[in-house]
Amino acid sequence: VRVFESHTAKINAVAALPDGQRMITASKDKTLCLWDLKSGVVLKKMEGHRGALNALAVSQDGKLIASGDARGELIACHGETGESLTQPIKVHSAIILSLDFSPDGAVLATGLDDGTTNFVSTRTWQVQGNPIKSGCVVRCVRYSPTGTLLGIATRERIEIYKPGKRQCVIKFKAHRKTNFSLAWTPDGTRLLTGGDHQDPTIREWDVSTWKQVGEPWNGHATVIKAIVINSAGTLVASASYDNHVRLWRLS
């Protein structure tokens, strides 16, 4: 339908804004681009990062955009204008690999390659409380729809926490080696996980028991980098290093 061209290096993250009219992309070229989806025009190119961008998040109300880079720095921008709200914030010396806003937009969770998950207040833009220490690379962090749980995909396992109290609910082995991606269903009753090249499947988990539902979803040939679910909870899209996007019917 359309090719969006502006970045000069690999694009590591893409997010649609809630208005359905725009998207934001984050690149290894250290910039973000805010795009008009209908015309393909770059509405704003956002600079300020000193390292390659790996992670991107948009708050549910679309008012905040956060990006994280290879130097462990975070920048927050206004969702409407793309104007920076902060100078680069040093979250950690480690690479930021994943970001997710809590449903109320009050907290930003940051997953780092040194095995920690930090929490940043969106009121003060300061790291708050103690981090969660997983002990191995954190590939993905995702809040449940109510914000009462935080899913963390690490190199070795899936970890589920009550984020406010930093209380661990469960840790379990989901894939043979690295767990790369996570997505909660809109009703919060299921968690989907994506594996790496040794186990390139999506697996579905019942949140009430943390047992696997049905058989693994087969189709991709290697790492499943991202999973998203539509708001109706009927369709799942997955993106892989095999250069394919697959669309699945959740039922």
Side-chain angles (χ1 to χ4, degrees):
V1 176
R2 175 166 282 105
V3 176
F4 297 83
E5 293 182 284
S6 180
H7 287 295
T8 59
K10 183 168 66 173
I11 298 167
N12 285 326
V14 179
L17 278 87
D19 61 16
Q21 305 299 313
R22 297 169 300 148
M23 72 172 177
I24 187 88
T25 53
S27 171
K28 193 176 179 180
D29 67 11
K30 306 177 186 177
T31 70
L32 298 106
C33 284
L34 183 65
W35 306 81
D36 181 285
L37 283 171
K38 188 175 181 180
S39 66
V41 170
V42 176
L43 301 172
K44 188 173 182 63
K45 179 163 276 195
M46 295 124 85
E47 301 177 336
H49 279 281
R50 297 182 293 172
L53 290 169
N54 297 296
L56 178 64
V58 177
S59 61
Q60 285 190 10
D61 61 10
K63 293 181 179 179
L64 297 172
I65 297 168
S67 51
D69 67 28
R71 295 170 62 103
E73 292 182 343
L74 169 76
I75 291 179
C77 297
H78 193 286
E80 283 297 323
T81 64
E83 294 296 327
S84 295
L85 297 173
T86 67
Q87 294 297 312
I89 302 161
K90 191 73 172 178
V91 177
H92 206 284
S93 58
I95 299 170
I96 299 174
L97 292 176
S98 184
L99 296 169
D100 197 36
F101 284 100
S102 60
D104 62 6
V107 180
L108 179 69
T110 67
L112 306 165
D113 80 334
D114 71 344
T116 62
T117 301
N118 279 324
F119 298 87
V120 177
S121 166
T122 60
R123 184 177 62 83
T124 63
W125 295 109
Q126 298 294 315
V127 175
Q128 62 178 28
N130 296 320
I132 293 172
K133 296 183 178 181
S134 299
C136 52
V137 176
V138 174
R139 291 285 180 185
C140 186
V141 291
R142 291 290 181 267
Y143 279 97
S144 66
T146 61
T148 55
L149 296 175
L150 180 73
I152 303 174
T154 77
R155 188 178 63 215
E156 296 179 0
R157 58 191 168 265
I158 301 296
E159 301 180 0
I160 308 297
Y161 278 83
K162 293 181 179 179
K165 298 179 179 179
R166 312 293 196 262
Q167 178 186 346
C168 182
V169 174
I170 192 171
K171 298 179 182 180
F172 60 93
K173 189 81 173 175
H175 297 271
R176 289 177 197 163
K177 194 175 180 183
T178 300
N179 308 277
F180 257 84
S181 46
L182 293 173
W184 300 84
T185 56
D187 63 7
T189 63
R190 296 284 191 269
L191 179 70
L192 302 184
T193 62
D196 69 352
H197 65 285
Q198 294 188 19
D199 183 12
T201 63
I202 295 173
R203 295 174 186 260
E204 181 180 353
W205 306 89
D206 185 329
V207 172
S208 64
T209 62
W210 297 112
K211 301 295 184 184
Q212 186 172 316
V213 178
E215 295 299 316
W217 303 9
N218 291 290
H220 284 297
T222 187
V223 173
I224 298 171
K225 181 68 166 60
I227 304 171
V228 292
I229 303 175
N230 69 338
S231 58
T234 56
L235 297 174
V236 178
S238 55
S240 169
Y241 286 174
D242 65 12
N243 301 333
H244 287 79
V245 172
R246 291 188 179 270
L247 187 66
W248 313 78
R249 197 175 300 282
L250 185 58
S251 61

